[in-house]
Amino acid sequence: MKTSLKAGLFGALIYIIFEIVFYLQGWNYLDFKHLLSFAVSSLILLIVISYSILKEFNRVKGNSPSFIFDLKNGIQTASIYALIIASFSFVYYKWIDDYADRKKEQLIEMTMDEDAMLELAEKQIESNPDFYYGKSPEDLIDMQQENINANLNPNVVFPFTLFTQLLLGMIFSFALTGLNRLVLSRLIN
């Protein structure tokens, strides 16, 4: 199996173990949990892409590999990692963790306080009347509840996670390939 595929699989496995340990410890309801998960996921992605690019570069450096060769290895690693993590996130939020449902209920309960929500909606309309032209405070409350139901859905988590991990993976691949070509390959020779 290619190094890029192994690195992507291994990195995804590490992240999945991290999430499961967090869940089993009961820390999945912490306020900063999603920020921490994103940071850990990004760090693991950076490490596995670095490993993949450097390992493949050192394996074929006698053949003068191209910039595209390194970039391809990094993007392959990121693709495998992103696909597995996005699939895991869908499964996790659909059948394991009820965070999305609990958060949805909390936010909808907040919108049920009619007086406070109407006052907030009126302030928003007053602050930006052109943007909310033709909308009543009740319309804004209904839109808020619809957005909560639509965005805190496991079906939205999959494409969002896939897109963000792939985008980060491409950025990391470009940066690490450039770093490898400009600095590391000259230090090794």
Side-chain angles (χ1 to χ4, degrees):
M1 187 182 287
K2 289 182 66 172
T3 303
S4 58
L5 299 177
K6 285 186 215 175
L9 287 169
F10 185 69
L13 180 63
I14 290 171
Y15 178 74
I16 289 170
I17 290 170
F18 167 79
E19 281 288 339
I20 290 173
V21 166
F22 241 65
Y23 178 75
L24 292 176
Q25 292 294 325
W27 297 336
N28 53 323
Y29 299 121
L30 297 175
D31 291 336
F32 60 88
K33 188 263 182 191
H34 287 79
L35 180 63
L36 182 63
S37 292
F38 180 74
V40 168
S41 176
S42 299
L43 179 63
I44 291 170
L45 182 61
L46 181 65
I47 291 169
V48 296
I49 289 173
S50 300
Y51 175 77
S52 175
I53 289 173
L54 292 174
K55 180 84 170 172
E56 287 297 313
F57 177 80
N58 286 331
R59 187 178 63 81
V60 296
K61 70 180 173 184
N63 298 338
S64 299
S66 68
F67 183 85
I68 300 298
F69 178 78
D70 288 350
L71 190 60
K72 182 181 80 163
N73 285 317
I75 291 175
Q76 281 179 343
T77 302
S79 298
I80 294 297
Y81 180 84
L83 191 58
I84 293 170
I85 295 304
S87 299
F88 170 75
S89 295
F90 174 79
V91 169
Y92 181 77
Y93 287 112
K94 181 88 172 169
W95 291 296
I96 298 173
D97 192 354
D98 63 344
Y99 171 81
D101 291 333
R102 287 189 336 107
K103 190 69 171 175
K104 196 185 312 183
E105 288 171 9
Q106 287 175 349
L107 292 172
I108 288 177
E109 281 178 22
M110 285 175 40
T111 61
M112 292 301 169
D113 183 7
E114 293 279 332
D115 296 332
M117 287 306 294
L118 284 173
E119 184 178 323
L120 182 64
E122 288 170 358
K123 286 181 183 176
Q124 284 183 327
I125 291 172
E126 287 174 13
S127 68
N128 197 351
D130 293 334
F131 185 74
Y132 296 111
Y133 179 75
K135 302 276 191 242
S136 69
E138 291 81 13
D139 292 338
L140 292 181
I141 293 170
D142 290 341
M143 288 172 24
Q144 178 71 22
Q145 289 176 340
E146 289 172 14
N147 288 337
I148 290 167
N149 287 325
N151 292 330
L152 290 178
N153 183 340
N155 297 331
V156 174
V157 170
F158 178 81
F160 179 76
T161 303
L162 184 64
F163 175 74
T164 56
Q165 293 298 315
L166 282 174
L167 182 63
L168 270 176
M170 287 192 292
I171 292 168
F172 290 161
S173 294
F174 274 106
L176 292 168
T177 298
L179 179 66
N180 182 39
R181 293 302 173 136
L182 294 174
V183 178
L184 299 178
S185 62
R186 292 200 171 101
L187 291 175
I188 294 172
N189 292 332

